[in-house]
Amino acid sequence: MEFGVALPGRGPMASPDQVLKIAARADALGYASIFVTDHVVLPASMARSIYPYSTTGQLPGGAAQDYLEPLAMLACLARVTSRARLGTSVLVIPYRHPVLTAKMLATIDQLSGGRVLLGIGVGWLREEFEALGSPPFEQRGIVTDEYVRLMRTAWTTDPVTFTGRYVSVQSIHVLPKPARPGGIPVWIGGHTDAALRRTATLGDGWHPIGLRSSIRLAPEEYAASARRIQTLAREAGRDPKSITLSLRVPMEVRPRQVKAPAGERPFFQGTAEQVAADIRAYADVGVTHLVFDSTHQELGAVLANLDRFAKDVMPAFGRRRAKASARAVRGAARPGARRRQPTRRRQATR
């Protein structure tokens, strides 16, 4: 089992100083991955769209909030981290021209020594599609599939030729290639049947969001969707074992001296022993990579929770904590601190 951290990309925690401190701490503590999220603009009116992860259908925090651009963030993270893989959770593929996206991601992969993971989604915000001049909202699924195929072609061939319905290129050099042969792993976000089918046919991994008010994906639900992916993968002539199963959830390891709140305990929120038991429940249905959102909106509380999980939960799952003293961790948290340059490591393409 591997563990990752989703950075706060919007709202009061989305300041460069705070985000970089969280990323540096996660990297120093031995978390396997660090993820950023994506919106380019937030229209003042989103009345024609439904946010899928809330029972109200509305984006928490509203439209007038800072939202850090994910590819710019990944480039920065490539230089202030040295161990963790760097991913998007998720990049809305129709928002950007696929050749430019492929070029930027390949450059970031080179900067990071081959650590980029591309989580992708089709998007939900119709008004944002219109504001960006993206392809029609109703066609976002087939657009995403085509763009991903072009991006993979750009990562693995030279010169690049591709003919599609929405984009075509003829004999162009798109260099440099990603650091890893075979290109950047692509994890598919979403929980709908279309997302499961996309995972089975195109994805190197499945990366849904779960345990929200509107979308649970409790272990038995997750297991059913995983079985669906495996069936579809076999029908497509793919080995289901080649597809990584991940999940992004809120997580809090409650300090021992803090009394448990009343009511039903949410998954991944409780004592270290309770959180470890939840991890095992998802491991039993095939999950091998968990990505954690913070339940706090204060930097000190976010960092303390990362520390507790790394100290009290992570060792039970074979993840060795980074051998860093408290002084080293504090130094890593400073965005301007000097760091060892990342070395290129051989990684299997998922």
Side-chain angles (χ1 to χ4, degrees):
M1 179 67 73
E2 293 185 313
F3 306 107
V5 174
L7 297 179
R10 60 180 171 85
M13 290 289 293
S15 69
D17 181 62
Q18 293 187 99
V19 168
L20 294 180
K21 284 180 179 177
I22 296 169
R25 181 69 66 89
D27 191 53
L29 289 170
Y31 285 84
S33 60
I34 299 169
F35 282 84
V36 296
T37 187
D38 183 26
H39 276 288
V40 180
V41 299
L42 291 176
S45 172
M46 297 180 268
R48 292 179 292 135
S49 299
I50 298 175
Y51 179 63
Y53 301 108
S54 168
T55 54
T56 67
Q58 297 178 351
L59 180 71
Q65 55 181 319
D66 289 349
Y67 213 119
L68 300 174
E69 203 285 324
L71 299 182
M73 279 299 305
L74 287 185
C76 183
L77 293 173
R79 308 312 293 168
V80 301
T81 63
S82 59
R83 302 176 181 89
R85 280 166 284 173
L86 307 174
T88 53
S89 179
V90 290
L91 195 74
V92 182
I93 293 300
Y95 286 171
R96 301 164 178 86
H97 194 285
V99 173
L100 179 59
T101 303
K103 172 84 170 186
M104 294 177 72
L105 287 166
T107 300
I108 297 166
D109 201 52
Q110 287 285 346
L111 289 170
S112 67
R115 293 187 285 136
V116 173
L117 283 171
L118 176 61
I120 71 163
V122 302
W124 61 271
L125 185 47
R126 178 186 295 272
E127 292 88 344
E128 189 172 17
F129 274 73
E130 295 169 355
L132 296 174
S134 300
F137 180 77
E138 291 79 8
Q139 299 171 29
R140 63 195 186 282
I142 56 176
V143 169
T144 295
D145 294 348
E146 181 176 303
Y147 280 16
V148 169
R149 291 189 177 97
L150 171 52
M151 289 162 61
R152 281 183 163 149
T153 301
W155 291 334
T156 56
T157 65
D158 186 64
V160 178
T161 294
F162 183 91
T163 302
R165 177 178 174 184
Y166 296 94
V167 63
S168 298
V169 296
Q170 182 68 37
S171 193
I172 58 173
H173 298 288
V174 186
L175 300 170
K177 302 301 183 189
R180 288 160 295 179
I184 294 167
V186 177
W187 289 7
I188 310 298
H191 60 280
T192 64
D193 192 67
L196 303 186
R197 187 174 296 276
R198 184 170 293 109
T199 301
T201 56
L202 282 179
D204 299 299
W206 183 37
H207 182 59
I209 292 176
L211 303 182
R212 299 317 200 260
S213 58
S214 59
I215 298 168
R216 293 289 298 163
L217 283 182
E220 61 275 12
E221 297 173 84
Y222 191 101
S225 293
R227 289 192 295 270
R228 172 70 170 155
I229 290 171
Q230 291 159 0
T231 297
L232 292 169
R234 283 189 288 268
E235 291 175 357
R238 300 186 65 201
D239 179 3
K241 294 180 180 179
S242 69
I243 300 173
T244 298
L245 297 178
S246 71
L247 179 65
R248 179 177 156 192
V249 295
M251 182 276 292
E252 180 181 13
V253 177
R254 191 173 63 246
R256 297 182 187 279
Q257 68 274 18
V258 175
K259 185 179 179 180
E264 183 179 358
R265 181 185 68 85
F267 276 101
F268 299 104
Q269 297 180 49
T271 65
E273 294 75 17
Q274 289 170 329
V275 172
D278 295 338
I279 292 169
R280 294 187 183 97
Y282 278 90
D284 288 345
V285 299
V287 175
T288 61
H289 198 120
L290 288 163
V291 177
F292 297 132
D293 286 300
S294 175
T295 62
H296 298 281
Q297 290 293 317
E298 191 275 319
L299 179 62
V302 173
L303 297 178
N305 189 50
L306 293 180
D307 291 346
R308 285 193 297 273
F309 183 89
K311 177 179 181 291
D312 298 334
V313 181
M314 199 183 290
F317 297 91
R319 291 291 304 169
R320 292 181 298 174
R321 293 181 65 201
K323 295 181 179 179
S325 65
R327 180 180 178 183
V329 170
R330 287 194 298 270
R334 294 194 301 270
R338 295 185 64 184
R339 302 185 59 87
R340 175 175 58 86
Q341 294 296 316
T343 56
R344 183 179 301 179
R345 294 177 295 173
R346 184 176 179 268
Q347 298 188 20
T349 302
R350 295 183 184 269

